[in-house]
Amino acid sequence: MRVSTSTWSYITVVILVTLGLGSCKSRSVQDHVEPTLDQVVLIIDKCPNYSSTENPETGVYSSTADDFEITAINSELWKLSYKTKQFPTLDTVVFQTKGEFLELDHIYKFYRHLSFIVQKGDTVLFTYDQDFPKAEILNREVSYEELNYDFIRSNYLLDDFKALDGNSKFNVSPLSSVKGYLTIRDPLKQKDIRSKIYQDALEEGRSQLEREILLLDSLVSQGLMGEDAKSLYLKRASVLNQFNEYRYNEYLRENFGGSENTLVEWDIQSTSEVDLASFGYYNKILDYIERKTYYSRVGWIEEVNRRYPDYRRVYDSLKTNEFLAKSEIDRLLTKNIELIIEHFPQKDSETYLKKFAEDVSNPLLVQNVLNKHRYALSAEIKEWGRRNFAPVSLSDSLLQLSLINTSNEQFDFNKLLEKHRGRLVYVDFWASHCVPCYVAMPYSKDLASTYKDQAISFIYISIDTEYERWLWGMDKAEISSYPNSFMVNKEAANNSFLAQLEINEIPRYLLFNKKGELVQYRAFGPKTSEIRDVFDTYLN
């Protein structure tokens, strides 16, 4: 076991949690804590702190802290995720898995990706050199080249490392690679030029595959990589190359007619010796197939700052797919049931949750969904979960959120809900630096005017950090005189509500029923016709 003396300072106490994903603040100890067999322990050594930046032209703030994330799909087909703390720290996270291998997808500065394939039972130390993550296994002997192969591969195969997206260059939009393409008005010439772009990208992908095979063979011959690791990396390269072939055929069929082996008939899993659905790169392929095959068919919901498909119809369509393997369908159904819970009213969410329990093979997926989204579920569905999927730990109440009003007086959010009991409560999270929030405000005021005689309260909550800035923003949004306007009290000891409901993107809306129960986790925005339908349903 290769563990240097300095490495022992990185070993931290690991706290396991019910969901199989735990995180704890660092507590350096002298004793090495060996992980149990059904987990992988990650030690993150002070990841880079990416601060918020303001675009001087638009006034929009963006935080690259959200760029940092480590994800994995475990053997139960559940997505595990760790996001960086606000400030650099030594942190530990536990990913539960029963599979022999786990692919860690590390997203870092500007949404770059590197993947690391580790084994069940590993303890992995991540350090950072000029923002690039580097990994080391603490409990067994693994070469730098084998574990950090994606970094080696990127420098060997790709000319520009900044363009690396974890896959082949073919996945970069070909439109950006041809100068003057958009100035050509002749549709037939556009098709021919784009076909040539795809052909060139496909040839480049094939060339990359040949070079990657040589690279893998060289690392194995030098004793820097084992045969098992080579097999997994070669499978990834081969599958991505096949994906490129299918995408090209898809384009030919759409624009020139008649082509075999398109994405609609994707069945690569049937020829694989391992379950590809538990690998991150393969899930990106599944996501692409889902978008390409179903999204245009189900219709879009248009918000001020985004649009998304009707995930309920996507879910129903997936169940009729005849080509994807059962594990692939289960993975996509799991993703879509989470999106349904997040974006649609509680009644729809819980109807589909019961369908989901019947449709997927592994009841652990249902348990994980119930636990993760427990704050968006009704008391009845929680009781159903406890009866049918024990052990399920489901909290019955939201955590705390402390607010202040324009007079700088403190308010508790739960008490605010109690004050408005007997009325629907539509909560609008916004901030003075958020341009889309200002765009949405006129729609919000129009919605409030439409329902002014109905039992609905509109509450505006700013996530600003400066009191004066908030007051300025209210003037700009023309809501200064509105009585139900508050700012999050940043000095409060416990504001876990924001993290609990993932209020990390604004504008964001919540809807509570007349009993003060959360009934839509990501409520429809005021611009949509859907929010009026939901209001009418709960009012009646």
Side-chain angles (χ1 to χ4, degrees), residues 450-491:
T450 300
Y451 287 91
K452 63 182 179 180
D453 297 325
Q454 304 292 321
I456 304 179
S457 295
F458 290 77
I459 295 178
Y460 298 92
I461 299 178
S462 169
I463 61 171
D464 276 296
T465 57
E466 298 178 10
Y467 180 75
E468 295 299 328
R469 181 81 179 179
W470 168 50
L471 296 180
W472 172 86
M474 283 197 296
D475 284 339
K476 183 177 179 180
E478 299 179 350
I479 58 172
S480 296
S481 61
Y482 193 75
N484 288 323
S485 190
F486 303 89
M487 186 180 87
V488 172
N489 181 9
K490 297 295 183 179
E491 297 180 0

Side-chain angles (χ1 to χ4, degrees), residues 9-211:
S9 63
Y10 294 116
I11 308 304
T12 59
V13 175
V14 176
I15 300 176
L16 301 182
V17 295
T18 306
L19 281 177
L21 173 60
S23 179
C24 59
K25 298 270 178 82
S26 60
R27 304 178 187 85
S28 295
V29 296
Q30 296 301 315
D31 297 325
H32 175 46
V33 180
E34 290 287 352
T36 61
L37 288 179
D38 292 341
Q39 66 183 40
V40 171
V41 177
L42 310 182
I43 301 174
I44 295 90
D45 182 19
K46 299 176 183 178
C47 66
N49 182 25
Y50 308 130
S51 59
S52 297
T53 57
E54 180 179 9
N55 185 320
E57 295 182 0
T58 64
V60 176
Y61 279 74
S62 61
S63 174
T64 52
D66 287 339
D67 295 353
F68 183 103
E69 186 177 12
I70 301 174
T71 64
I73 308 294
N74 68 12
S75 54
E76 286 74 42
L77 305 180
W78 181 249
K79 184 176 181 178
L80 308 168
S81 175
Y82 165 82
K83 287 192 176 184
T84 180
K85 300 293 188 293
Q86 185 174 1
F87 302 102
T89 183
L90 185 65
D91 204 11
T92 303
V93 63
V94 177
F95 282 176
Q96 295 281 27
T97 184
K98 295 181 183 296
E100 184 179 356
F101 297 100
L102 188 68
E103 183 192 30
L104 304 173
D105 183 21
H106 197 316
I107 307 169
Y108 56 107
K109 194 172 184 179
F110 303 123
Y111 298 98
R112 301 176 188 174
H113 290 250
L114 285 177
S115 69
F116 304 83
I117 296 179
V118 299
Q119 294 182 13
K120 179 177 64 175
D122 278 347
T123 296
V124 188
L125 169 65
F126 281 106
T127 55
Y128 298 86
D129 181 9
Q130 297 182 346
D131 294 344
F132 292 103
K134 294 185 178 180
E136 178 184 357
I137 301 294
L138 302 185
N139 57 291
R140 61 186 176 91
E141 188 79 22
V142 182
S143 72
Y144 171 86
E145 291 77 8
E146 178 173 321
L147 183 58
N148 296 272
Y149 171 73
D150 229 22
F151 184 83
I152 304 296
R153 168 186 174 273
S154 66
N155 288 312
Y156 180 78
L157 296 178
L158 304 181
D159 296 329
D160 183 5
F161 181 65
K162 292 181 181 180
L164 178 66
D165 65 353
N167 298 327
S168 165
K169 274 186 175 179
F170 188 76
N171 286 334
V172 178
S173 172
L175 284 178
S176 62
S177 62
V178 174
K179 206 169 186 180
Y181 171 85
L182 295 178
T183 64
I184 298 174
R185 301 302 181 188
D186 187 334
L188 292 178
K189 288 184 179 180
Q190 284 186 339
K191 289 182 180 181
D192 290 338
I193 291 175
R194 190 163 187 178
S195 178
K196 180 64 166 60
I197 296 170
Y198 274 100
Q199 285 180 324
D200 291 345
L202 195 56
E203 287 301 319
E204 183 180 359
R206 291 167 181 160
S207 174
Q208 285 186 17
L209 177 60
E210 293 174 358
R211 293 169 62 195

Side-chain angles (χ1 to χ4, degrees), residues 136-343:
E136 178 184 357
I137 301 294
L138 302 185
N139 57 291
R140 61 186 176 91
E141 188 79 22
V142 182
S143 72
Y144 171 86
E145 291 77 8
E146 178 173 321
L147 183 58
N148 296 272
Y149 171 73
D150 229 22
F151 184 83
I152 304 296
R153 168 186 174 273
S154 66
N155 288 312
Y156 180 78
L157 296 178
L158 304 181
D159 296 329
D160 183 5
F161 181 65
K162 292 181 181 180
L164 178 66
D165 65 353
N167 298 327
S168 165
K169 274 186 175 179
F170 188 76
N171 286 334
V172 178
S173 172
L175 284 178
S176 62
S177 62
V178 174
K179 206 169 186 180
Y181 171 85
L182 295 178
T183 64
I184 298 174
R185 301 302 181 188
D186 187 334
L188 292 178
K189 288 184 179 180
Q190 284 186 339
K191 289 182 180 181
D192 290 338
I193 291 175
R194 190 163 187 178
S195 178
K196 180 64 166 60
I197 296 170
Y198 274 100
Q199 285 180 324
D200 291 345
L202 195 56
E203 287 301 319
E204 183 180 359
R206 291 167 181 160
S207 174
Q208 285 186 17
L209 177 60
E210 293 174 358
R211 293 169 62 195
E212 185 159 7
I213 292 173
L214 294 176
L215 174 61
L216 289 167
D217 287 342
S218 174
L219 292 173
V220 171
S221 66
Q222 296 176 67
L224 298 175
M225 180 179 290
E227 289 289 347
D228 287 344
K230 174 190 172 182
S231 176
L232 292 173
Y233 288 126
L234 187 58
K235 168 60 73 173
R236 179 181 68 174
S238 175
V239 168
L240 289 174
N241 189 64
Q242 287 175 287
F243 176 54
N244 292 343
E245 299 271 3
Y246 272 70
R247 285 184 66 185
Y248 177 60
N249 288 337
E250 189 80 21
Y251 177 75
L252 291 181
R253 187 179 73 169
E254 290 176 349
N255 293 276
F256 301 99
S259 178
E260 298 180 355
N261 297 328
T262 63
L263 287 172
V264 177
E265 292 87 22
W266 177 268
D267 62 350
I268 299 301
Q269 180 79 284
S270 63
T271 62
S272 176
E273 296 178 358
V274 297
D275 189 354
L276 298 175
S278 60
F279 287 86
Y281 74 88
Y282 193 74
N283 273 265
K284 293 175 185 176
I285 292 176
L286 293 179
D287 289 343
Y288 180 90
I289 293 172
E290 179 189 61
R291 291 194 303 272
K292 187 73 174 177
T293 306
Y294 301 116
Y295 279 18
S296 62
R297 302 179 187 177
V298 302
W300 297 87
I301 295 173
E302 302 283 348
E303 301 274 9
V304 166
N305 59 329
R306 64 193 179 112
R307 70 171 189 165
Y308 50 91
D310 188 332
Y311 296 114
R312 299 164 300 184
R313 295 181 62 191
V314 175
Y315 184 101
D316 292 334
S317 299
L318 282 167
K319 292 171 61 176
T320 65
N321 186 290
E322 298 178 355
F323 293 94
L324 295 178
K326 183 65 172 74
S327 61
E328 296 170 337
I329 295 294
D330 281 0
R331 175 66 204 129
L332 291 174
L333 291 179
T334 302
K335 184 187 76 170
N336 277 277
I337 189 60
E338 291 195 76
L339 291 168
I340 291 170
I341 293 172
E342 289 183 7
H343 290 85

Side-chain angles (χ1 to χ4, degrees), residues 424-441:
L424 299 185
V425 175
Y426 187 63
V427 182
D428 179 342
F429 283 93
W430 70 289
S432 64
H433 59 255
C434 171
V435 173
C437 297
Y438 292 117
V439 174
M441 278 297 179

